Amino acid sequence: MTIKLVCIDIDDTLLNSKRVVMPTTRDAITAAIAAGVHVALCSGRPLAGVRPFLNELGMTRDDQYVITFNGAVVESVTGRVLHNKRLPENAYATLAAYAREHNLPFNIVDADSTIITPDRDIDAFTVVQAAENSAGLLVRDVGDLATDVVPIKGIFCGDEAMLDAAEDDVRATLGADYAVIRAGRNFIELMAPGVDKGSGVAQLAAHLGINPDEIMALGDEGNDIAMFDYVGLAVAMGNGSDEAKAHANVVTASNDDDGLALALKKYVL
């Protein structure tokens, strides 16, 4: 099996526990690109939140790609959109009402990477989310949302215990109308039906003319499972969740122990 496309999760996969790209990781990715392999970062973040890592990796050409918003948007690193799937109409009102009823901090992220929340008492995780993604943060009542806003995903955020208690009901109540993904322990993300990292990888693979068995994906969490199930070689990080590891073909070392670089050297280089 020859790997032609490598899809890499960012948090706790590309980044180590100090939230930086290790030099060995950067060198292995650079070598893979030099060998003619397509490399795509695949994240729940918007492009603005991915761009610092693209720049660090030297991925700046229009023929290089990212999968953002957990698969809702597939685009070149320069922002040329190949595929995008927005939230259903009235999602802001529907999800804001659910959040208010269940006392969950809530926001949406629009196509321009702006975070919009109806919450006057803004949750700390929303602030962190905005900072990590170099995003604007607006407070807007449901009736005040601008008509030209294109919401791509909704987020219930907060401490792990609160989201653990809420997750089953979120899935039961909203799962028929939204793709529900637990993206890390502090975020439950809601996208349009059918959206996940696997669907995003499939869209990019079709654009590049690459078969699933020619793709390697690396990740660590539940939101990586859909792309694990799509690709020919799924690699879970040693620091990953048990759920992610159960869907992987192999488990590499942790994100602090050169896990990504070791996998690239073994299966790609």
Side-chain angles (χ1 to χ4, degrees):
M1 174 178 60
T2 299
I3 298 297
K4 297 181 179 179
L5 170 63
V6 178
C7 295
I8 303 172
D9 171 58
I10 293 180
D11 294 295
D12 297 316
T13 300
L14 176 71
L15 306 182
N16 67 7
S17 61
K18 295 181 180 178
R19 305 188 70 77
V20 299
V21 179
M22 296 172 64
T24 47
T25 298
R26 183 183 62 245
D27 291 347
I29 291 174
T30 300
I33 293 171
V37 177
H38 293 280
V39 174
L41 301 188
C42 188
S43 175
R45 298 171 184 240
L47 180 58
V50 177
R51 194 175 300 284
F53 309 114
L54 294 170
N55 292 339
E56 186 173 354
L57 296 169
M59 296 174 61
T60 58
R61 303 194 316 259
D62 189 59
D63 63 346
Q64 295 175 310
Y65 301 95
V66 289
I67 298 165
T68 55
F69 292 103
N70 275 321
V73 179
V74 181
E75 57 195 316
S76 73
V77 301
T78 60
R80 176 170 53 88
V81 175
L82 307 179
H83 167 80
N84 114 17
K85 194 169 184 181
R86 61 168 291 162
L87 284 171
E89 295 293 334
N90 299 317
Y92 191 56
T94 299
L95 298 178
Y98 181 93
R100 186 168 56 251
E101 180 182 352
H102 294 84
N103 296 311
L104 293 173
F106 165 68
N107 67 74
I108 58 166
V109 187
D110 74 3
D112 294 324
S113 303
T114 302
I115 294 170
I116 305 170
T117 178
D119 301 340
R120 290 298 191 275
D121 186 8
I122 299 176
D123 187 82
F125 283 105
T126 298
V127 177
V128 170
Q129 176 191 345
E132 288 185 343
N133 292 296
S134 303
L137 177 57
L138 302 176
V139 177
R140 293 290 185 270
D141 290 332
V142 169
D144 295 330
L145 189 68
T147 57
D148 60 348
V149 169
V150 180
I152 302 295
K153 72 175 179 179
I155 299 177
F156 299 132
C157 60
D159 67 74
E160 182 174 352
M162 177 177 66
L163 295 188
D164 285 346
E167 184 173 358
D168 285 348
D169 189 75
V170 170
R171 292 185 182 279
T173 305
L174 300 172
D177 298 313
Y178 299 88
V180 180
I181 297 176
R182 184 73 180 264
R185 305 323 303 160
N186 303 112
F187 300 95
I188 298 175
E189 301 190 352
L190 302 101
M191 274 77 59
V195 168
D196 54 40
K197 286 188 178 182
S199 69
V201 173
Q203 290 284 342
L204 179 57
H207 174 76
L208 295 173
I210 293 174
N211 297 320
D213 62 1
E214 298 172 314
I215 306 172
M216 179 170 80
L218 301 101
D220 70 295
E221 264 293 351
N223 64 332
D224 298 314
I225 289 173
M227 71 173 177
F228 280 6
D229 291 344
Y230 176 78
V231 304
L233 180 59
V235 181
M237 303 299 293
N239 53 287
S241 68
D242 291 340
E243 184 183 20
K245 290 176 181 176
H247 286 258
N249 300 110
V250 295
V251 178
T252 187
S254 78
N255 60 333
D256 286 330
D257 296 309
D258 275 341
L260 194 155
L262 290 170
L264 286 175
K265 289 175 182 177
K266 182 172 183 177
Y267 299 109
V268 178
L269 301 173

